[in-house]
Amino acid sequence: MSEKKEPGVWDGFKAFLTRGNVVDLAVAVVIGAAFTNVVNSVVKGVINPLVGAIGTQNLDSYSSCLKGPCEKAADGTVSSGVMILWGSVLGAALSFVITAAVVYFLMVLPMAKYLARVEARRKAKEGTQEVIEVSELEVLKEIRDALVAQRGSGHDER
């Protein structure tokens, strides 16, 4: 009379955590978080000075007053009026585009090329294997035909 014990919540959680894709996702999140600092440094050290050559280096200072009079406090908060802070949106968009470009060109594109080469090698290996199998089959057919011909010619001489 053994009762079959149903898997508990803890067992299900352990199975979930030990799946490969969950671990891969966790690694990706950690690397992405660390990579954010690199992107932010590029934006602050390269992009903002380039924008600063045209205007100000701080993209957050770019704004438009929708309903005036607009006034900003010293800490950057809007004290009166309705202000559209399009500079911060531009900065976030630039950070996103830079991050996406770096991830694509340094991670996605090389991995896609690598996987394409591996797939091409696998297909070439399969093609070679098929040629070998076909040629072996042809050789075996020739041997069979030769044996049948020998039996047929040897059978007539008796």
Side-chain angles (χ1 to χ4, degrees), residues 53-97:
I54 299 168
T56 178
Q57 285 191 11
N58 186 2
L59 290 177
D60 292 339
S61 66
Y62 289 106
S63 61
S64 298
C65 186
L66 187 61
K67 184 177 179 184
C70 293
E71 294 179 17
K72 274 189 182 180
D75 63 353
T77 59
V78 178
S79 57
S80 68
V82 177
M83 191 169 290
I84 298 176
L85 305 172
W86 60 270
S88 60
V89 174
L90 179 63
L94 284 173
S95 293
F96 173 77
V97 169

Side-chain angles (χ1 to χ4, degrees), residues 123-142:
K123 284 185 178 180
K125 193 175 186 181
E126 282 180 2
T128 304
Q129 187 66 25
E130 287 175 7
V131 168
I132 290 171
E133 288 174 2
V134 167
S135 62
E136 286 177 359
L137 185 61
E138 292 298 321
V139 169
L140 289 172
K141 285 180 181 178
E142 289 175 11

Side-chain angles (χ1 to χ4, degrees):
M1 287 196 175
S2 64
E3 289 183 26
K4 190 169 184 179
K5 192 173 144 184
E6 288 191 31
V9 174
W10 182 249
D11 292 332
F13 184 67
K14 285 192 322 189
F16 171 74
L17 287 180
T18 56
R19 284 188 197 148
N21 55 359
V22 173
V23 174
D24 292 343
L25 181 61
V27 169
V29 168
V30 169
I31 289 174
F35 190 67
T36 301
N37 292 331
V38 174
V39 171
N40 288 338
S41 296
V42 169
V43 169
K44 286 180 184 175
V46 177
I47 302 298
N48 286 352
L50 290 175
V51 173
I54 299 168
T56 178
Q57 285 191 11
N58 186 2
L59 290 177
D60 292 339
S61 66
Y62 289 106
S63 61
S64 298
C65 186
L66 187 61
K67 184 177 179 184
C70 293
E71 294 179 17
K72 274 189 182 180
D75 63 353
T77 59
V78 178
S79 57
S80 68
V82 177
M83 191 169 290
I84 298 176
L85 305 172
W86 60 270
S88 60
V89 174
L90 179 63
L94 284 173
S95 293
F96 173 77
V97 169
I98 291 169
T99 303
V102 170
V103 166
Y104 179 76
F105 289 113
L106 293 182
M107 295 177 191
V108 173
L109 191 61
M111 184 58 78
K113 287 182 179 181
Y114 170 75
L115 292 175
R117 274 188 268 144
V118 167
E119 183 66 18
R121 281 190 209 132
R122 186 187 64 78
K123 284 185 178 180
K125 193 175 186 181
E126 282 180 2
T128 304
Q129 187 66 25
E130 287 175 7
V131 168
I132 290 171
E133 288 174 2
V134 167
S135 62
E136 286 177 359
L137 185 61
E138 292 298 321
V139 169
L140 289 172
K141 285 180 181 178
E142 289 175 11
I143 292 170
R144 181 199 64 202
D145 293 343
L147 287 172
V148 167
Q150 280 181 350
R151 283 188 185 165
S153 65
H155 206 322
D156 292 340
E157 293 176 4
R158 285 190 194 180

